[in-house]
């Protein structure tokens, strides 16, 4: 049974930092593409960052470039998202996602419909 469990969310002031983690189990972790998505109230779920199975390819949406960094440790089945210089507009529920099929395009990497497995989410609130 595939499980993804996120942790690390919380409430911070603007300019602060958080590190999210996602531990996967029940599948061959290093065969899977991984990504972070977020969903704010009343908005669609959007892709935030993507990383390939080996970790050799990674990308971030424009609004978080230079502030967020995705990484993975295949030895520990762990996906991370380091978030610095947080802004109020980063407030959302953050989800990790996994899928085995290659993501050849940017659109595929950031499309929620391209991912089969999801965690339950961890809440991030950025507010003064």
């Amino acid at each position: 049974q595939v499980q993804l469990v996120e942790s690390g969310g919380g409430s911070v002031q603007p300019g602060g930092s958080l590190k999210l983690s996602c531990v996967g189990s029940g599948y061959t972790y290093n065969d899977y593409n991984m990504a972070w998505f977020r969903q704010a109230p009343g908005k669609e779920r959007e892709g935030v960052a993507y990383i390939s199975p080996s970790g050799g390819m990674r990308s971030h949406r424009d609004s978080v470039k230079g502030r967020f960094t995705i990484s993975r440790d295949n030895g520990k089945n762990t996906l991370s998202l380091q978030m610095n210089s947080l802004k109020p507009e980063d407030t959302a529920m953050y989800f990790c996602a996994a899928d085995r099929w290659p993501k050849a395009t940017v659109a595929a990497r950031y499309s929620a419909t391209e991912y089969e497995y999801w965690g339950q989410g961890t809440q991030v609130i950025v507010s003064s």
Side-chain angles (χ1 to χ4, degrees):
Q1 179 181 359
V2 173
Q3 278 196 319
L4 298 173
V5 180
E6 302 100 331
S7 62
S11 182
V12 296
Q13 293 187 340
S17 298
L18 284 173
K19 184 173 183 178
L20 307 183
S21 296
C22 170
V23 178
S25 62
Y27 65 104
T28 306
Y29 188 81
N30 57 5
D31 282 349
Y32 280 67
N33 300 273
M34 301 291 295
W36 286 100
F37 285 77
R38 66 186 180 187
Q39 188 166 20
K43 295 189 176 181
E44 291 188 358
R45 190 168 296 191
E46 64 179 15
V48 175
Y50 161 86
I51 192 165
S52 63
S54 68
M57 178 186 292
R58 65 185 76 186
S59 63
H60 304 78
R61 69 180 297 114
D62 286 348
S63 61
V64 307
K65 280 181 181 176
R67 301 188 298 121
F68 291 12
T69 303
I70 190 172
S71 62
R72 65 189 295 164
D73 183 340
N74 285 346
K76 296 181 179 179
N77 286 14
T78 300
L79 176 74
S80 298
L81 185 68
Q82 178 66 48
M83 305 188 296
N84 299 326
S85 302
L86 282 160
K87 303 177 180 180
E89 52 264 41
D90 295 318
T91 295
M93 185 73 78
Y94 283 72
F95 301 88
C96 65
D99 193 79
R100 185 164 188 171
W101 296 106
K103 310 300 178 199
T105 66
V106 172
R109 292 167 199 152
Y110 292 126
S111 173
T113 60
E114 291 285 330
Y115 291 83
E116 182 174 5
Y117 300 114
W118 292 84
Q120 83 289 349
T122 186
Q123 182 70 50
V124 172
I125 298 173
V126 185
S127 173
S128 55

